[in-house]
Amino acid sequence: MSAPGGFLDYGPDAIIMAGLTGSNWRLADYVARGGYSALRKILTERIPPTTVIGEVKRSALRGRGGAGFPTGLKWSFMPQQYQGDKYLVCNSDEGEPGTFKDRDILRYNPHVLIEGMAIAAYAMGCGRGYNYIHGEIWETYERAEEAVAEAYAAGFLGTDILGSGFSFLLHNHHGYGAYICGEETALLESLEGKKGQPRFKPPFPASFGLYGKPTTINNTETFAAVPWIINHGGEAFLNLGRPNNGGTKLFSVSGDVARPGNFEVPLGTPFATLLDMAGGMRDGRKLKACIPGGSSMPVLPGDVMMQTDMDYDSIAKAGSMLGSGAVIVMNDTRCMVKSLLRLSYFYYEESCGQCTPCREGTGWLWRVVDRIEHGQGRADDIDLLLSVSDNIAGRTICALGDAAALPVKSFIRHFRDEFQHHIDHRQCLVPAYI
Amino acid sequence: MTMLSPEALKKIDREVAKYPPGHRQSAVMSALAIAQDEKGWLAPETMDFVARYLGMPPVAVYEVATFYAMYNLAPTGRHKVTVCTNLPCALQGATRAAAQLKERLGIGFGETTPDGAITLREGECMGACGDAPVLLVDNKRMCSSMTPDRLDALVDELKAVGGADGK
Ligand SMILES: Cc1cc2nc3c(=O)[nH]c(=O)nc-3n(C[C@H](O)[C@H](O)[C@H](O)COP(=O)(O)O)c2cc1C
Ligand code: FES
């Protein structure tokens, strides 16, 4: 990840992660890079909140947390005239297998997030905010605590920010080991000091969120894009990417590549280019399969991936989803049954247990994949997996059920022969292992 | 009544202050983490104390403690080592790393070495897949790119350090 000159190398087109060395994360460094100028401009020029939201809409920024929902539109759902407390929440509970980008934002450029959140809070009239950080990255949480303290001390957070009359109190909150808390309503429950079981929607957080008050939740990377949009205009951000797919995106590339890491590239960048940035396939092996958006998204065969561009619409057309931007690369030595087995165990382990189809179904999927992998598969097990998947997806309160079902269905769709071979011959079709 | 140290209570108070008045319960996750750091694990008396301190029903605290994977509901070894074995890490050597740890320590996941030094756990994605193999020591120290040599060195270090460290 290192480039000449001691800079971390996120790629030539990086905007959020440009000019970072790994140690220049402090407020003074950020200000020296031009940081907090967007917030300052909005507050001193008293730019109306609706203008800020309009700029974000123009940028075609879409949520970087998984669903890709248009950010400006989400912000406009917040009731502007509401007199009581409104909350802003950042989702840094990055736990989707394959995703490790928000950690880099938090540890190497935390103030870009703080500035983005302050701007968002101004635009939606939120007086308080929380950044919910994945419990496993404790050192990063501590850095975020330091960064927030710096921002209060410098007057970019707190009451009457820069003498504008606008106040925003931001705090960090840490998780402690529950993937489900990445789901936005489970996250809210967790913030309230409860177990993280998702809420039924509607009502959506914009009307009934944290402590029952109007709340907007965005991903870390979503907020981190906002200062650039304000500084350069929504149009410029949009033009970095493609229509309906504005801006750059951080992709976390993991698996069988030579240099796993994060790369920030314009949306629409060919997958082949991204693979090159990650050093290509490790040991020069052949690309067999790739999950382009985190473990919850459908797997795609390698040759399909090589024809696909990395933006929301292109990946959807190829049959998967951009999701969180976690690109999991698998080579030709990988057994697809064994790979799916580990993912199925994950969803079984992480189901919160609230909805019967998910609680029972994820365990069922795991046990059936497990017996196929271990040579005990039965003739109708593939059909059984598909049927259980269909009976989970769309029948649960939150999308974890779909997240468990989609990998199963896509692994079977594209690699059915491997599952069949395991069942028929009680052994694996590919020689190697994980 | 099991008490936490004044330093621990001060830390909890700082967490409570992050939330609006009337929402002390929001600090329960950090309060339990702070209590666990001090006591090593969450005994029922410790959880009851946290419940009283935050003005919550004890059962609401138990619900939280049992829901989140990083709380220790039973005593562990002097150190807890949690290895991520999820798919992205597995593709980058985590399976091998986990096997090496099991063999070196002579225990499986969920077990503690006979000398009480190390409890080994299997973990889920820690949001650090690019640095695989990754593991967590005592919830808070992440060790990255764990080659066989580095794993051996870590085990040596954890076995050597006495009970004074961390717990
Ligand atoms: C099971 C599950 C896990 C999720 N995990 C995360 C996560 O770790 N980070 C995140 O930002 N969004 C996650 N999401 C999506 C959030 O619910 C929500 O859509 C997102 O935080 C909204 O922010 P955005 O619009 O900026 O993307 C998850 C969703 C589900 C169903
Ligand atoms: S899969 Fe191991 S840290 Fe993400």
Side-chain angles (χ1 to χ4, degrees):
Chain A
M1 290 293 290
S2 274
F7 288 100
L8 300 170
D9 188 7
Y10 290 91
D13 298 311
I15 55 172
I16 296 172
M17 305 305 276
L20 303 180
T21 60
S23 55
N24 60 355
W25 59 272
R26 292 201 168 271
L27 186 135
D29 303 309
Y30 183 64
V31 169
R33 290 196 290 276
Y36 286 111
S37 53
L39 178 65
R40 192 182 291 279
K41 174 175 153 178
I42 286 172
L43 294 182
T44 51
E45 295 176 17
R46 301 189 184 280
I47 297 177
T50 47
T51 308
V52 175
I53 295 179
E55 210 56 56
V56 174
K57 277 188 177 161
R58 202 161 325 155
S59 76
L61 173 64
R62 293 169 64 170
R64 304 308 196 210
F69 193 84
T71 304
L73 185 60
K74 184 187 270 190
W75 290 10
S76 66
F77 293 154
M78 283 288 268
Q80 283 292 346
Q81 306 309 325
Y82 184 85
Q83 287 307 311
D85 295 333
K86 286 187 265 185
Y87 291 96
L88 187 69
V89 174
C90 176
N91 189 342
S92 299
D93 193 35
E94 186 169 61
E96 169 89 354
T99 320
F100 46 93
K101 63 188 178 67
D102 297 337
R103 179 174 71 142
D104 273 10
I105 297 174
L106 288 169
R107 61 181 175 164
Y108 297 145
N109 204 9
H111 286 284
V112 77
L113 169 67
I114 296 171
E115 185 181 11
M117 286 191 76
I119 293 168
Y122 171 83
M124 290 176 272
C126 303
R128 268 185 190 266
Y130 293 95
N131 183 17
Y132 191 109
I133 300 177
H134 201 219
E136 284 84 343
I137 51 170
W138 189 261
E139 288 123 331
T140 301
Y141 169 76
E142 289 189 328
R143 174 159 302 178
E145 285 282 89
E146 266 193 79
V148 162
E150 283 185 323
Y152 275 105
F156 294 121
L157 290 176
T159 49
D160 192 21
I161 297 173
L162 304 175
S164 65
F166 166 65
S167 300
F168 180 52
L169 306 179
L170 175 65
H171 293 287
N172 297 301
H173 178 110
H174 69 76
Y176 229 51
Y179 166 67
I180 189 62
C181 290
E183 196 281 334
E184 56 187 19
T185 59
L187 186 150
L188 294 177
E189 289 286 298
S190 184
L191 256 178
E192 292 180 2
K194 305 175 195 158
K195 55 185 174 175
Q197 290 192 322
R199 298 174 182 171
F200 195 83
K201 291 188 280 193
F204 289 93
S207 49
F208 189 92
L210 183 62
Y211 309 128
K213 304 288 191 225
T215 301
T216 289
I217 304 161
N218 278 118
N219 173 256
T220 319
E221 187 186 351
T222 311
F223 286 124
V226 171
W228 197 96
I229 291 171
I230 299 303
N231 280 326
H232 299 84
E235 188 81 23
F237 188 81
L238 171 60
N239 290 336
L240 291 177
R242 285 194 176 163
N244 195 34
N245 295 267
T248 58
K249 170 85 187 80
L250 272 156
F251 288 99
S252 306
V253 185
S254 67
D256 295 320
V257 294
R259 271 189 294 122
N262 286 311
F263 305 95
E264 186 186 350
V265 298
L267 280 169
T269 298
F271 169 75
T273 306
L274 187 63
L275 186 58
D276 273 348
M277 292 172 85
M281 298 298 293
R282 192 171 56 235
D283 303 328
R285 295 216 71 101
K286 194 169 167 289
L287 172 68
K288 176 178 185 174
C290 175
I291 309 178
S295 66
S296 305
M297 300 305 166
V299 66
L300 292 174
D303 51 347
V304 174
M305 271 319 288
M306 290 306 281
Q307 305 303 316
T308 300
D309 295 339
M310 302 304 288
D311 62 71
Y312 295 91
D313 298 334
S314 302
I315 295 178
K317 224 170 90 193
S320 186
M321 279 180 268
L322 181 137
S324 60
V327 180
I328 307 169
V329 176
M330 289 177 265
N331 72 26
D332 55 347
T333 70
R334 301 305 179 182
C335 166
M336 289 294 125
V337 182
K338 191 163 190 162
S339 300
L340 178 62
L341 175 60
R342 187 59 185 85
L343 294 182
S344 293
Y345 177 75
F346 170 70
Y347 292 106
Y348 159 65
E349 179 68 25
E350 298 295 332
S351 170
C352 81
Q354 188 174 210
C355 311
T356 310
C358 176
R359 182 185 63 241
E360 303 301 323
T362 51
W364 199 354
L365 289 175
W366 169 56
R367 289 190 300 275
V368 174
V369 179
D370 186 70
R371 73 181 181 225
I372 297 176
E373 163 65 14
H374 291 103
Q376 311 288 319
R378 301 170 195 166
D380 56 357
D381 270 354
I382 294 182
D383 290 335
L384 178 62
L385 285 175
L386 293 174
S387 148
V388 174
S389 299
D390 284 337
N391 280 295
I392 302 174
R395 292 167 199 253
T396 52
I397 287 177
C398 88
L400 190 136
D402 307 72
L406 280 175
V408 173
K409 295 185 68 163
S410 63
F411 270 75
I412 292 175
R413 180 179 317 125
H414 295 297
F415 302 99
R416 192 179 181 115
D417 51 339
E418 285 189 37
F419 289 81
Q420 197 62 52
H421 190 92
H422 268 262
I423 293 171
D424 295 344
H425 302 278
R426 313 217 165 274
Q427 62 183 18
C428 187
L429 187 61
V430 275
Y433 56 92
I434 291 175
Chain B
M1 180 163 113
T2 311
M3 279 293 291
L4 295 175
S5 69
E7 298 80 62
L9 294 182
K10 227 169 92 189
K11 282 189 195 165
I12 294 177
D13 290 344
R14 249 190 29 220
E15 296 300 322
V16 169
K18 290 179 174 180
Y19 306 96
H23 294 290
R24 290 174 72 84
Q25 179 168 349
S26 282
V28 67
M29 293 183 68
S30 44
L32 287 173
I34 291 163
Q36 177 166 300
D37 282 349
E38 185 157 299
K39 302 279 181 194
W41 68 291
L42 296 175
E45 311 86 76
T46 310
M47 292 191 273
D48 291 347
F49 175 79
V50 168
R52 272 193 300 275
Y53 196 75
L54 295 177
M56 295 169 64
V59 66
V61 175
Y62 307 159
E63 275 190 358
V64 169
T66 53
F67 189 83
Y68 299 91
M70 291 165 71
Y71 296 117
N72 303 332
L73 301 173
T76 66
R78 284 198 306 278
H79 296 287
K80 180 174 77 171
V81 173
T82 312
V83 192
C84 174
T85 60
N86 209 311
L87 180 64
C89 279
L91 297 171
Q92 293 165 222
T95 311
R96 190 207 63 229
Q100 182 187 339
L101 278 173
K102 286 181 188 169
E103 178 165 346
R104 168 91 200 266
L105 300 174
I107 54 174
F109 285 135
E111 295 175 357
T112 301
T113 51
D115 65 355
I118 297 176
T119 298
L120 189 62
R121 291 256 176 93
E122 182 170 36
E124 294 300 343
C125 181
M126 297 167 179
C129 336
D131 299 340
V134 287
L135 54 81
L136 275 184
V137 177
D138 299 331
N139 282 348
K140 296 197 169 168
R141 171 179 162 204
M142 184 175 280
C143 301
S144 306
S145 311
M146 296 308 281
T147 57
D149 288 351
R150 290 168 60 110
L151 279 174
D152 271 334
L154 178 71
V155 172
D156 290 341
E157 177 203 324
L158 297 182
K159 286 220 163 206
V161 175
D165 175 74
K167 299 279 154 64

